Amino acid sequence: PTYADQVRVALNWINEDSGGGSEVAVFHHDSPFGQAPVADGEAWISESGLDLGYQAYAMPGGQQNYVGLLSQAQSQGAEYIVIQNVASPAALVAKDIADQGLDMKIVCLNWCANELFITTAGDEAAEGHMLIQPFAPLSADKPGHEVINTYLEEEGIDPEGIGTSWVQGWYVMHVMAEGMREAIANADGEELTGPMIREALETMGGIDTGGVIGDGTVEFSADSHRGSTSAGIYQAQGGQMVEVEAGATP
């Protein structure tokens, strides 16, 4: 799912969790990557009639804390902080919220919605914050994790050291390999090429990921290379990513 899809899922959850009438601050990396979902989130509130206030704040790099930014969000009256950034700065925000005793809940989009956010912030500071993550971590125990767990056991790799990004890498390559398999089946002896793989992925229908990606199925078309528009919603609980909702779609 795109960053826009993810921020829509986040805002839907916030609107439901708060019962409406809440203020949302979006803390984002100061770059096109960070700004990518900002306008889409604001438009979604208007289009969907969500009862939410909304304001975006760029996160300067190299900061020791984000107390100043949180002060601005406080002035807005923000109760929810959506973060479009990687885990380390998001973890600093979680620590600052805890240190300042602020009543704010973080909702991380996928690049900070992972185990690194929890371990960097510390279990106590991360506790209760929300994570929008398209790739189910091993702790979610999906059918599609079985093949990964079998591989880890055969290789003598401790599953405790396997994070969400590792699972993402596995299933991105799984989807590519299924596209290659389909392309070879259709190649009629011709040498495999990139365009053949693209065409196969665009026309072969859904690829089952056993619940690991979004609602479990990845499907491309000539018009859309999203693959999935849904993501899981998780909460940091006791140092773990605990699933709250699977396959949430905007």
Side-chain angles (χ1 to χ4, degrees):
T2 63
Y3 297 139
D5 290 327
Q6 293 175 42
V7 79
R8 292 177 188 122
V9 168
L11 292 170
N12 286 351
W13 181 86
I14 290 169
N15 193 64
E16 183 177 347
D17 184 66
S18 67
S22 291
E23 288 287 328
V24 179
V26 181
F27 286 9
H28 63 87
H29 191 274
D30 192 11
S31 68
F33 150 71
Q35 295 164 357
V38 172
D40 293 294
E42 188 170 21
W44 183 250
I45 289 172
S46 177
E47 292 166 12
S48 303
L50 302 182
D51 183 18
L52 298 173
Y54 187 88
Q55 194 165 329
Y57 305 84
M59 300 175 75
Q63 300 297 296
Q64 297 301 309
N65 64 68
Y66 288 98
V67 172
L69 214 57
L70 284 168
S71 178
Q72 294 179 53
Q74 272 186 288
S75 297
Q76 177 197 341
E79 299 163 85
Y80 297 87
I81 309 289
V82 173
I83 301 184
Q84 167 71 347
N85 209 327
V86 295
S88 298
L92 280 179
V93 175
K95 288 179 179 178
D96 292 339
I97 288 173
D99 290 345
Q100 299 286 316
L102 303 178
D103 187 16
M104 293 177 172
K105 189 179 292 289
I106 291 171
V107 184
C108 269
L109 304 189
N110 74 285
W111 290 114
C112 63
N114 52 37
E115 299 86 354
L116 185 58
F117 165 75
I118 297 173
T119 57
T120 305
D123 293 357
E124 189 173 338
E127 186 72 16
H129 293 304
M130 306 303 295
L131 314 165
I132 308 298
Q133 178 53 254
F135 296 87
L138 289 181
S139 59
D141 196 23
K142 301 294 183 181
H145 290 136
E146 185 176 343
V147 65
I148 294 178
N149 286 321
T150 298
Y151 172 81
L152 297 177
E153 185 176 353
E154 290 173 350
E155 296 295 318
I157 300 171
D158 184 359
E160 290 295 319
I162 298 302
T164 303
S165 294
W166 199 100
V167 175
Q168 175 178 343
W170 179 287
Y171 265 95
V172 167
M173 194 58 223
H174 168 73
V175 170
M176 176 63 81
E178 290 302 300
M180 293 168 69
R181 189 194 312 277
E182 180 76 5
I184 289 168
N186 297 335
D188 197 24
E190 293 181 42
E191 183 178 352
L192 186 65
T193 67
M196 289 164 62
I197 298 170
R198 183 188 66 234
E199 182 180 0
L201 286 167
E202 290 175 345
T203 58
M204 66 187 291
I207 299 169
D208 183 21
T209 69
V212 172
I213 299 179
D215 61 5
T217 301
V218 170
E219 185 170 0
F220 300 105
S221 71
D223 297 323
S224 176
H225 287 178
R226 262 183 177 133
S228 174
T229 58
S230 58
I233 302 175
Y234 299 85
Q235 186 174 47
Q237 295 181 17
Q240 297 290 321
M241 294 174 64
V242 176
E243 186 177 84
V244 172
E245 183 179 347
T249 303

